[in-house]
Every structure is written in C-alpha cells, then in structure tokens.
Amino acid sequence: MNSMLSINEWFLTFMPAGAAGIAEMISIAVIYLTIFAVLGLFLVLMERKVAAWFQLRIGPNRVGYLGLFQTVADALKLVSKELTGTVKADKFLYNLAPYFVIITALMALAVLPFAQGLQAFDINIGLFFLIGISSVGVIGILLGGWSSNNKFALIGAMRSGVQTISYELSVGLSLLTMVILTGSLQLSEIIEVQRNGWLIVQGHIPAVIAFMIYMIAGTAETNRAPFDMVEAESELGAGFHTEYSGMKFAYFFLAEFINMFIIAAIGTTVFFGGWLSPFGITESIPVLGVFWFLAKAFVLVFLMMWFRWTFPRLRVDQLLTLEWKYLLPINLVNLVLMAIVVWLNLIIQF
C-alpha cells in the first residue's frame, strides 16, 4: 500500500469521498512542495560546503550556526529582488519557461520510493516514466533561452538541447541494462529484487559498467560541470538564464539541484537497493528506510559534486565525442553482455 492510499483512507474516516479526494491531493502537493524547497536549500548549502572543503576554504559561516541558514537568507534575498527582463522578450514563453523545469522535477519526485510504501505513485512503468519526464525539462531551458531574445541565452539553450538529447540515450540504455536483470520497470519491484543483494553486485561486471555510464551521463544531463556547457559562465554570461532574475532565476537554479538529487535517487533505487538496509535487515519502520535511501542518495550527490570540483569543463566537440563515440557503443555492448549474464543464470537455475 502506498502513502497516497494511506492518506486517502485517513481522510475518509471523517469526510465524504469527494472532499477526501480533494484534501488528499492538496496535502500530497503541500508535502512534496515542502520536500522540494527544503531539499533544494540543503543541496545548495551542501554544494557550497563541499566546494569549500575541496578548495581548503571555510565556506558559508556567518548566518546561523556554521552558516546553516545561509541558503535561507539567499532565498529570502531572491524573493525580495525585482523581476526584470528584456523589452523584446516573448513575455508569455519567458514567464512560462521556469515552470517547466520545476513541474517536471516535482513529477519525478512523486514516483521515487523514499521508503516502503512512502511514495505518491507506484506505477508499473515507473522507470520509463522517469526517463520520459526528465526529457521534458529541457523544453523549459529551450523556451527560456529562445524567449529571452539574448544571443548568449539562445546559444546556451541550443547547447542544452544537443547535450540532453545525446546523453539521454546513455542514461536510458544504462537503466535498460538493469531492467533486463530485474524484469520490471516498477521501482518498488526493482527494490524487492534486491533484498538478497544490490543489483550492482547481482549484475556482475555489466552492472558496474552500467552504473559508471549512468553517473557520467546523468551528470551531463543535469548540466553540471564538467558538462556545464549550457551555462558556461566564462563564455555565455549565465547561459540560458542570463536574462532571468529574482525567483524566476531561483526556479532554474533550484531545479538543477533537485534534478541532481533525482539522478542520485534513481541510481540509489536501481543499483543500491533503494531504502533497503545494506546489512540485510528488513525495515518495518519507514523512518529507517528514509534514512538509508537518503544516505545512499547523498553519497551519489557528493560524487557528482566531486566531479564538478575535479575536472575542467569539456569543449562542445569533446562533449559530443564522449557520448557518441564512447559511451553509446560501450552501452550497447554492455546491454548484450547483461542479456548473456541473465541467460546464463537462467540456464544454471534450470
């Protein structure tokens, strides 16, 4: 039973079915918006602390204890800033673009299993849904860059289209490799398969290769360094959101960090057992499941931050060469290898 059904049953105890349905949707929306905001603020603070650690600096240390409320202060500053834009911008598309990236990130969060039964929707095509919805977010970037009527924003948006479309292939194929092993697209079933061991172990060498390709391609898909050609501050000002300010800029900024968490969360679910304890203990308390899920996800988030502060930015030609000449062929061969591994396991069991 998922969390949505549980909340619905609770509302039905003291209100009619129609009112319970509306109250259920509102409460779920409020919960996920709260998770979105708190998670975004924490990830921004984590990024700044990790960057300071890598560069032997102190990092945020003024607002609150050890600077813990620095991102809250930054958010309040962004809320209070004036919303500016270019005179010749396409106003409708310019204002619509930030909501594309926010809504797609929220929709992706809704199917992630934070613990047993703790997810808004446990659909049987969960992994396919995540791959599909992640490709919609690029529309917001393309609209924002084009509607701004700024050449730097347009170049950044065009780069984003090329980059996202290219690296989505590797993300999808690496996850498809694991689907061959599990035989299911439903995230809860993928986790259940891992009760006897994480898929990265069960899948042997092809699973390790799939995970490595997934992390590289996932980092590129979220437009993070060393694949941040979309923003490329030293070349394009601020890239596709050059003409955005205040909360509209914050939407793009926040969505980037949430998408980074989503990539880490999918990796946690598919490769590392999701909310399952690494010690083989069955979690009957949802809080423990949430702890293990977040702990694994934040380790992968840290890995993506490590990439940013270690490797220099790639050129556009290097970016596309890496995908089309290396990652994609390796992925296709690895897909066949996983199929052979599954086939041999079936023969042995038979």
Side-chain angles (χ1 to χ4, degrees):
M1 181 182 297
N2 62 31
S3 58
M4 197 170 218
L5 289 176
S6 301
I7 291 173
N8 182 261
E9 290 175 355
W10 182 74
F11 278 121
L12 284 173
T13 58
F14 57 88
M15 63 175 64
I22 295 172
E24 172 192 355
M25 288 187 285
I26 293 174
S27 61
I28 290 291
V30 170
I31 290 170
Y32 272 91
L33 285 171
T34 304
I35 292 172
F36 192 94
V38 173
L39 189 60
L41 291 175
F42 176 78
L43 287 169
V44 173
L45 178 66
M46 181 179 173
E47 174 84 88
R48 297 174 71 177
K49 289 289 188 181
V50 169
W53 181 63
F54 271 103
Q55 297 171 353
L56 301 179
R57 297 186 289 105
I58 297 175
N61 64 344
R62 291 284 187 255
V63 184
Y65 177 70
L66 298 177
L68 293 178
F69 293 101
Q70 181 62 57
T71 50
V72 177
D74 292 339
L76 293 174
K77 179 197 71 173
L78 286 170
V79 170
S80 62
K81 288 186 72 172
E82 180 184 2
L83 297 175
T84 61
T86 55
V87 176
K88 295 184 179 180
D90 185 319
K91 297 296 183 185
F92 176 72
L93 296 180
Y94 175 84
N95 292 320
L96 179 65
Y99 295 99
F100 264 95
V101 294
I102 289 290
I103 291 171
T104 53
L106 276 170
M107 291 176 70
L109 280 176
V111 298
L112 292 176
F114 290 92
Q116 187 170 18
L118 194 59
Q119 62 189 117
F121 298 104
D122 185 18
I123 52 179
N124 58 0
I125 55 166
L127 207 56
F128 179 74
F129 175 83
L130 285 170
I131 295 171
I133 203 66
S134 65
S135 63
V136 177
V138 72
I139 296 175
I141 296 176
L142 289 169
L143 286 180
W146 183 82
S147 64
S148 296
N149 196 32
N150 178 295
K151 61 183 179 182
F152 296 121
L154 179 59
I155 293 171
M158 292 171 65
R159 286 180 176 181
S160 175
V162 171
Q163 182 172 325
T164 304
I165 291 170
S166 298
Y167 280 88
E168 278 238 332
L169 288 170
S170 284
V171 170
L173 285 173
S174 59
L175 293 176
L176 182 60
T177 303
M178 306 311 293
V179 169
I180 291 175
L181 183 61
T182 60
S184 175
L185 290 167
Q186 190 167 351
L187 297 177
S188 59
E189 289 188 7
I190 290 173
I191 292 176
E192 287 299 321
V193 170
Q194 301 180 70
R195 285 195 177 274
N196 296 322
W198 294 346
L199 287 184
I200 198 167
V201 178
Q202 291 186 41
H204 307 293
I205 294 176
V208 176
I209 295 172
F211 171 69
M212 293 171 66
I213 293 174
Y214 172 79
M215 288 304 298
I216 295 170
T219 304
E221 195 178 352
T222 53
N223 302 321
R224 287 184 55 82
F227 307 99
D228 59 337
M229 301 301 303
V230 179
E231 298 175 27
E233 295 89 346
S234 58
E235 307 168 33
L236 305 178
F240 67 94
H241 51 56
T242 298
E243 298 296 345
Y244 284 91
S245 65
M247 279 307 295
K248 291 177 183 175
F249 168 79
Y251 287 159
F252 283 115
F253 190 69
L254 196 60
E256 178 186 319
F257 283 89
I258 297 298
N259 287 331
M260 177 174 60
F261 174 80
I262 290 169
I263 291 294
I266 296 171
T268 297
T269 302
V270 174
F271 294 97
F272 295 102
W275 48 266
L276 293 173
S277 166
F279 305 110
I281 303 170
T282 302
E283 264 71 348
S284 57
I285 305 174
V287 175
L288 292 177
V290 172
F291 168 78
W292 286 118
F293 182 86
L294 293 178
K296 296 173 189 176
F298 282 124
V299 168
L300 297 185
V301 167
F302 174 77
L303 183 62
M304 295 172 75
M305 292 179 178
W306 194 343
F307 291 163
R308 175 172 184 173
W309 301 108
T310 303
F311 300 108
R313 181 185 300 135
L314 277 68
R315 297 195 312 265
V316 176
D317 62 313
Q318 293 172 330
L319 183 92
L320 296 177
T321 297
L322 176 64
E323 165 61 14
W324 293 101
K325 291 187 177 181
Y326 295 97
L327 294 186
L328 186 59
I330 293 172
N331 230 329
L332 291 171
V333 173
N334 194 50
L335 195 68
V336 176
L337 285 176
M338 180 60 81
I340 293 171
V341 167
V342 173
W343 178 64
L344 290 174
N345 285 336
L346 289 174
I347 290 177
I348 293 171
Q349 290 173 9
F350 181 77

PDB file of all heavy atoms in Angstrom, residues 23-25 35-36 45 54 74 77 89 103 132 137 156 201 206 211 228 245 247 263 265 303 317 326 334 345:
ATOM      1  N   ALA A  23      -8.846  16.874  -0.518  1.00  0.00           N
ATOM      2  CA  ALA A  23      -7.925  17.092   0.608  1.00  0.00           C
ATOM      3  C   ALA A  23      -6.655  16.272   0.443  1.00  0.00           C
ATOM      4  O   ALA A  23      -5.550  16.717   0.774  1.00  0.00           O
ATOM      5  CB  ALA A  23      -8.625  16.732   1.923  1.00  0.00           C
ATOM      6  N   GLU A  24      -6.814  15.054  -0.100  1.00  0.00           N
ATOM      7  CA  GLU A  24      -5.655  14.176  -0.336  1.00  0.00           C
ATOM      8  C   GLU A  24      -4.693  14.805  -1.334  1.00  0.00           C
ATOM      9  O   GLU A  24      -3.473  14.868  -1.089  1.00  0.00           O
ATOM     10  CB  GLU A  24      -6.165  12.843  -0.854  1.00  0.00           C
ATOM     11  CG  GLU A  24      -5.084  11.895  -1.330  1.00  0.00           C
ATOM     12  CD  GLU A  24      -5.662  10.729  -2.095  1.00  0.00           C
ATOM     13  OE1 GLU A  24      -6.903  10.612  -2.181  1.00  0.00           O
ATOM     14  OE2 GLU A  24      -4.869   9.935  -2.620  1.00  0.00           O
ATOM     15  N   MET A  25      -5.221  15.308  -2.444  1.00  0.00           N
ATOM     16  CA  MET A  25      -4.374  15.912  -3.475  1.00  0.00           C
ATOM     17  C   MET A  25      -3.665  17.162  -2.955  1.00  0.00           C
ATOM     18  O   MET A  25      -2.479  17.380  -3.231  1.00  0.00           O
ATOM     19  CB  MET A  25      -5.210  16.230  -4.714  1.00  0.00           C
ATOM     20  CG  MET A  25      -5.638  15.002  -5.500  1.00  0.00           C
ATOM     21  SD  MET A  25      -6.455  15.392  -7.053  1.00  0.00           S
ATOM     22  CE  MET A  25      -8.065  15.934  -6.453  1.00  0.00           C
ATOM     23  N   ILE A  35       9.111  19.278   0.584  1.00  0.00           N
ATOM     24  CA  ILE A  35      10.316  18.473   0.329  1.00  0.00           C
ATOM     25  C   ILE A  35      11.187  19.148  -0.716  1.00  0.00           C
ATOM     26  O   ILE A  35      12.414  19.241  -0.574  1.00  0.00           O
ATOM     27  CB  ILE A  35       9.921  17.053  -0.142  1.00  0.00           C
ATOM     28  CG1 ILE A  35       9.259  16.283   0.998  1.00  0.00           C
ATOM     29  CG2 ILE A  35      11.143  16.291  -0.647  1.00  0.00           C
ATOM     30  CD1 ILE A  35       8.678  14.948   0.569  1.00  0.00           C
ATOM     31  N   PHE A  36      10.562  19.644  -1.781  1.00  0.00           N
ATOM     32  CA  PHE A  36      11.274  20.311  -2.872  1.00  0.00           C
ATOM     33  C   PHE A  36      12.074  21.498  -2.358  1.00  0.00           C
ATOM     34  O   PHE A  36      13.263  21.649  -2.655  1.00  0.00           O
ATOM     35  CB  PHE A  36      10.252  20.772  -3.921  1.00  0.00           C
ATOM     36  CG  PHE A  36      10.859  21.216  -5.218  1.00  0.00           C
ATOM     37  CD1 PHE A  36      10.998  20.333  -6.278  1.00  0.00           C
ATOM     38  CD2 PHE A  36      11.286  22.524  -5.401  1.00  0.00           C
ATOM     39  CE1 PHE A  36      11.554  20.738  -7.482  1.00  0.00           C
ATOM     40  CE2 PHE A  36      11.838  22.934  -6.588  1.00  0.00           C
ATOM     41  CZ  PHE A  36      11.969  22.048  -7.637  1.00  0.00           C
ATOM     42  N   LEU A  45      23.424  24.411   0.098  1.00  0.00           N
ATOM     43  CA  LEU A  45      24.370  24.540   1.209  1.00  0.00           C
ATOM     44  C   LEU A  45      25.434  23.450   1.137  1.00  0.00           C
ATOM     45  O   LEU A  45      26.634  23.721   1.338  1.00  0.00           O
ATOM     46  CB  LEU A  45      23.618  24.453   2.542  1.00  0.00           C
ATOM     47  CG  LEU A  45      24.478  24.534   3.802  1.00  0.00           C
ATOM     48  CD1 LEU A  45      25.127  25.916   3.925  1.00  0.00           C
ATOM     49  CD2 LEU A  45      23.660  24.227   5.051  1.00  0.00           C
ATOM     50  N   PHE A  54      36.922  21.134  -0.749  1.00  0.00           N
ATOM     51  CA  PHE A  54      37.856  20.785  -1.817  1.00  0.00           C
ATOM     52  C   PHE A  54      38.886  21.890  -2.047  1.00  0.00           C
ATOM     53  O   PHE A  54      40.028  21.612  -2.423  1.00  0.00           O
ATOM     54  CB  PHE A  54      37.092  20.526  -3.121  1.00  0.00           C
ATOM     55  CG  PHE A  54      36.646  19.100  -3.285  1.00  0.00           C
ATOM     56  CD1 PHE A  54      35.333  18.741  -3.059  1.00  0.00           C
ATOM     57  CD2 PHE A  54      37.550  18.115  -3.653  1.00  0.00           C
ATOM     58  CE1 PHE A  54      34.919  17.424  -3.196  1.00  0.00           C
ATOM     59  CE2 PHE A  54      37.140  16.794  -3.797  1.00  0.00           C
ATOM     60  CZ  PHE A  54      35.818  16.446  -3.562  1.00  0.00           C
ATOM     61  N   ASP A  74      19.753  33.569   1.440  1.00  0.00           N
ATOM     62  CA  ASP A  74      19.843  33.766  -0.012  1.00  0.00           C
ATOM     63  C   ASP A  74      18.472  33.657  -0.668  1.00  0.00           C
ATOM     64  O   ASP A  74      18.143  34.411  -1.588  1.00  0.00           O
ATOM     65  CB  ASP A  74      20.787  32.731  -0.632  1.00  0.00           C
ATOM     66  CG  ASP A  74      22.233  32.955  -0.210  1.00  0.00           C
ATOM     67  OD1 ASP A  74      22.559  34.083   0.206  1.00  0.00           O
ATOM     68  OD2 ASP A  74      23.013  32.005  -0.294  1.00  0.00           O
ATOM     69  N   LYS A  77      16.515  36.741  -0.049  1.00  0.00           N
ATOM     70  CA  LYS A  77      17.025  37.814  -0.907  1.00  0.00           C
ATOM     71  C   LYS A  77      16.447  37.685  -2.316  1.00  0.00           C
ATOM     72  O   LYS A  77      16.013  38.679  -2.915  1.00  0.00           O
ATOM     73  CB  LYS A  77      18.551  37.744  -0.960  1.00  0.00           C
ATOM     74  CG  LYS A  77      19.187  38.813  -1.845  1.00  0.00           C
ATOM     75  CD  LYS A  77      20.624  38.476  -2.193  1.00  0.00           C
ATOM     76  CE  LYS A  77      20.692  37.326  -3.160  1.00  0.00           C
ATOM     77  NZ  LYS A  77      22.060  37.068  -3.669  1.00  0.00           N
ATOM     78  N   ALA A  89      11.644  40.567 -25.214  1.00  0.00           N
ATOM     79  CA  ALA A  89      11.441  39.151 -24.897  1.00  0.00           C
ATOM     80  C   ALA A  89      10.000  38.741 -25.187  1.00  0.00           C
ATOM     81  O   ALA A  89       9.079  39.565 -25.139  1.00  0.00           O
ATOM     82  CB  ALA A  89      11.764  38.885 -23.433  1.00  0.00           C
ATOM     83  N   ILE A 103       8.042  21.897 -12.581  1.00  0.00           N
ATOM     84  CA  ILE A 103       6.976  20.891 -12.584  1.00  0.00           C
ATOM     85  C   ILE A 103       7.515  19.514 -12.938  1.00  0.00           C
ATOM     86  O   ILE A 103       7.136  18.498 -12.335  1.00  0.00           O
ATOM     87  CB  ILE A 103       5.849  21.314 -13.553  1.00  0.00           C
ATOM     88  CG1 ILE A 103       5.128  22.537 -12.993  1.00  0.00           C
ATOM     89  CG2 ILE A 103       4.858  20.170 -13.779  1.00  0.00           C
ATOM     90  CD1 ILE A 103       4.136  23.170 -13.950  1.00  0.00           C
ATOM     91  N   GLY A 132      11.136   9.451 -19.323  1.00  0.00           N
ATOM     92  CA  GLY A 132      10.337  10.322 -20.172  1.00  0.00           C
ATOM     93  C   GLY A 132      10.180  11.719 -19.614  1.00  0.00           C
ATOM     94  O   GLY A 132      10.367  12.720 -20.327  1.00  0.00           O
ATOM     95  N   GLY A 137      11.957  18.455 -19.179  1.00  0.00           N
ATOM     96  CA  GLY A 137      12.543  19.627 -18.539  1.00  0.00           C
ATOM     97  C   GLY A 137      13.368  20.486 -19.475  1.00  0.00           C
ATOM     98  O   GLY A 137      13.449  21.709 -19.310  1.00  0.00           O
ATOM     99  N   GLY A 156      23.186  29.028 -25.156  1.00  0.00           N
ATOM    100  CA  GLY A 156      23.108  28.102 -24.028  1.00  0.00           C
ATOM    101  C   GLY A 156      21.943  27.141 -24.167  1.00  0.00           C
ATOM    102  O   GLY A 156      22.070  25.943 -23.879  1.00  0.00           O
ATOM    103  N   VAL A 201      25.783  -5.682  -7.526  1.00  0.00           N
ATOM    104  CA  VAL A 201      26.518  -6.911  -7.212  1.00  0.00           C
ATOM    105  C   VAL A 201      25.928  -8.092  -7.981  1.00  0.00           C
ATOM    106  O   VAL A 201      26.654  -8.905  -8.554  1.00  0.00           O
ATOM    107  CB  VAL A 201      26.492  -7.192  -5.698  1.00  0.00           C
ATOM    108  CG1 VAL A 201      27.207  -8.505  -5.384  1.00  0.00           C
ATOM    109  CG2 VAL A 201      27.127  -6.037  -4.931  1.00  0.00           C
ATOM    110  N   PRO A 206      28.747  -6.209 -15.961  1.00  0.00           N
ATOM    111  CA  PRO A 206      27.860  -5.322 -16.735  1.00  0.00           C
ATOM    112  C   PRO A 206      27.116  -4.314 -15.883  1.00  0.00           C
ATOM    113  O   PRO A 206      26.882  -3.180 -16.319  1.00  0.00           O
ATOM    114  CB  PRO A 206      26.882  -6.321 -17.393  1.00  0.00           C
ATOM    115  CG  PRO A 206      27.635  -7.581 -17.497  1.00  0.00           C
ATOM    116  CD  PRO A 206      28.491  -7.633 -16.269  1.00  0.00           C
ATOM    117  N   PHE A 211      26.467   1.311 -14.171  1.00  0.00           N
ATOM    118  CA  PHE A 211      26.451   2.359 -13.139  1.00  0.00           C
ATOM    119  C   PHE A 211      27.422   3.486 -13.483  1.00  0.00           C
ATOM    120  O   PHE A 211      27.089   4.671 -13.339  1.00  0.00           O
ATOM    121  CB  PHE A 211      26.813   1.760 -11.781  1.00  0.00           C
ATOM    122  CG  PHE A 211      27.021   2.794 -10.705  1.00  0.00           C
ATOM    123  CD1 PHE A 211      25.956   3.530 -10.223  1.00  0.00           C
ATOM    124  CD2 PHE A 211      28.295   3.039 -10.202  1.00  0.00           C
ATOM    125  CE1 PHE A 211      26.150   4.495  -9.233  1.00  0.00           C
ATOM    126  CE2 PHE A 211      28.491   3.998  -9.234  1.00  0.00           C
ATOM    127  CZ  PHE A 211      27.422   4.728  -8.737  1.00  0.00           C
ATOM    128  N   ASP A 228      28.932  21.517 -18.021  1.00  0.00           N
ATOM    129  CA  ASP A 228      28.070  22.695 -17.884  1.00  0.00           C
ATOM    130  C   ASP A 228      28.214  23.662 -19.058  1.00  0.00           C
ATOM    131  O   ASP A 228      28.347  24.876 -18.883  1.00  0.00           O
ATOM    132  CB  ASP A 228      28.343  23.414 -16.559  1.00  0.00           C
ATOM    133  CG  ASP A 228      29.780  23.867 -16.414  1.00  0.00           C
ATOM    134  OD1 ASP A 228      30.644  23.283 -17.092  1.00  0.00           O
ATOM    135  OD2 ASP A 228      30.037  24.798 -15.631  1.00  0.00           O
ATOM    136  N   SER A 245      15.974  36.934 -13.340  1.00  0.00           N
ATOM    137  CA  SER A 245      16.381  37.463 -12.035  1.00  0.00           C
ATOM    138  C   SER A 245      15.365  37.028 -10.978  1.00  0.00           C
ATOM    139  O   SER A 245      14.307  36.474 -11.297  1.00  0.00           O
ATOM    140  CB  SER A 245      16.451  38.991 -12.079  1.00  0.00           C
ATOM    141  OG  SER A 245      15.160  39.543 -12.298  1.00  0.00           O
ATOM    142  N   MET A 247      13.052  35.352  -8.317  1.00  0.00           N
ATOM    143  CA  MET A 247      12.546  33.995  -8.122  1.00  0.00           C
ATOM    144  C   MET A 247      12.571  33.165  -9.403  1.00  0.00           C
ATOM    145  O   MET A 247      12.699  31.947  -9.349  1.00  0.00           O
ATOM    146  CB  MET A 247      11.127  34.046  -7.568  1.00  0.00           C
ATOM    147  CG  MET A 247      11.070  34.271  -6.062  1.00  0.00           C
ATOM    148  SD  MET A 247      12.073  33.093  -5.119  1.00  0.00           S
ATOM    149  CE  MET A 247      11.243  31.563  -5.457  1.00  0.00           C
ATOM    150  N   ILE A 263      18.660  12.230 -10.104  1.00  0.00           N
ATOM    151  CA  ILE A 263      19.606  11.302 -10.732  1.00  0.00           C
ATOM    152  C   ILE A 263      20.228  10.385  -9.677  1.00  0.00           C
ATOM    153  O   ILE A 263      20.342   9.158  -9.867  1.00  0.00           O
ATOM    154  CB  ILE A 263      20.707  12.084 -11.480  1.00  0.00           C
ATOM    155  CG1 ILE A 263      20.140  12.785 -12.718  1.00  0.00           C
ATOM    156  CG2 ILE A 263      21.859  11.163 -11.888  1.00  0.00           C
ATOM    157  CD1 ILE A 263      19.663  11.854 -13.805  1.00  0.00           C
ATOM    158  N   ALA A 265      18.944   9.642  -6.747  1.00  0.00           N
ATOM    159  CA  ALA A 265      17.896   8.800  -6.166  1.00  0.00           C
ATOM    160  C   ALA A 265      17.562   7.621  -7.089  1.00  0.00           C
ATOM    161  O   ALA A 265      17.337   6.500  -6.620  1.00  0.00           O
ATOM    162  CB  ALA A 265      16.644   9.632  -5.901  1.00  0.00           C
ATOM    163  N   LEU A 303      29.378  12.452  -4.943  1.00  0.00           N
ATOM    164  CA  LEU A 303      30.203  12.011  -6.072  1.00  0.00           C
ATOM    165  C   LEU A 303      30.056  12.970  -7.251  1.00  0.00           C
ATOM    166  O   LEU A 303      31.054  13.328  -7.898  1.00  0.00           O
ATOM    167  CB  LEU A 303      29.794  10.591  -6.476  1.00  0.00           C
ATOM    168  CG  LEU A 303      30.598   9.933  -7.599  1.00  0.00           C
ATOM    169  CD1 LEU A 303      32.063   9.780  -7.201  1.00  0.00           C
ATOM    170  CD2 LEU A 303      29.998   8.581  -7.959  1.00  0.00           C
ATOM    171  N   ASP A 317      32.765  19.875 -28.753  1.00  0.00           N
ATOM    172  CA  ASP A 317      33.114  18.705 -29.564  1.00  0.00           C
ATOM    173  C   ASP A 317      33.534  17.532 -28.677  1.00  0.00           C
ATOM    174  O   ASP A 317      33.217  16.368 -28.969  1.00  0.00           O
ATOM    175  CB  ASP A 317      34.214  19.068 -30.565  1.00  0.00           C
ATOM    176  CG  ASP A 317      35.502  19.499 -29.889  1.00  0.00           C
ATOM    177  OD1 ASP A 317      35.421  20.329 -28.957  1.00  0.00           O
ATOM    178  OD2 ASP A 317      36.584  19.017 -30.265  1.00  0.00           O
ATOM    179  N   TYR A 326      32.033   6.935 -27.552  1.00  0.00           N
ATOM    180  CA  TYR A 326      32.497   6.086 -26.446  1.00  0.00           C
ATOM    181  C   TYR A 326      31.341   5.519 -25.614  1.00  0.00           C
ATOM    182  O   TYR A 326      31.155   4.301 -25.561  1.00  0.00           O
ATOM    183  CB  TYR A 326      33.463   6.872 -25.548  1.00  0.00           C
ATOM    184  CG  TYR A 326      34.738   7.263 -26.258  1.00  0.00           C
ATOM    185  CD1 TYR A 326      34.894   8.530 -26.813  1.00  0.00           C
ATOM    186  CD2 TYR A 326      35.790   6.357 -26.401  1.00  0.00           C
ATOM    187  CE1 TYR A 326      36.063   8.895 -27.483  1.00  0.00           C
ATOM    188  CE2 TYR A 326      36.955   6.703 -27.067  1.00  0.00           C
ATOM    189  CZ  TYR A 326      37.081   7.968 -27.607  1.00  0.00           C
ATOM    190  OH  TYR A 326      38.237   8.311 -28.275  1.00  0.00           O
ATOM    191  N   ASN A 334      27.431  -3.461 -23.608  1.00  0.00           N
ATOM    192  CA  ASN A 334      27.129  -3.844 -22.230  1.00  0.00           C
ATOM    193  C   ASN A 334      25.720  -4.403 -22.099  1.00  0.00           C
ATOM    194  O   ASN A 334      25.456  -5.298 -21.290  1.00  0.00           O
ATOM    195  CB  ASN A 334      27.293  -2.628 -21.311  1.00  0.00           C
ATOM    196  CG  ASN A 334      27.334  -3.009 -19.852  1.00  0.00           C
ATOM    197  OD1 ASN A 334      28.081  -3.905 -19.462  1.00  0.00           O
ATOM    198  ND2 ASN A 334      26.538  -2.338 -19.039  1.00  0.00           N
ATOM    199  N   ASN A 345      22.447 -17.293 -16.134  1.00  0.00           N
ATOM    200  CA  ASN A 345      21.868 -17.538 -14.811  1.00  0.00           C
ATOM    201  C   ASN A 345      20.615 -18.401 -14.911  1.00  0.00           C
ATOM    202  O   ASN A 345      20.375 -19.283 -14.082  1.00  0.00           O
ATOM    203  CB  ASN A 345      21.527 -16.218 -14.120  1.00  0.00           C
ATOM    204  CG  ASN A 345      22.774 -15.506 -13.589  1.00  0.00           C
ATOM    205  OD1 ASN A 345      23.789 -16.149 -13.343  1.00  0.00           O
ATOM    206  ND2 ASN A 345      22.679 -14.211 -13.411  1.00  0.00           N
TER     207      ASN A 345
END
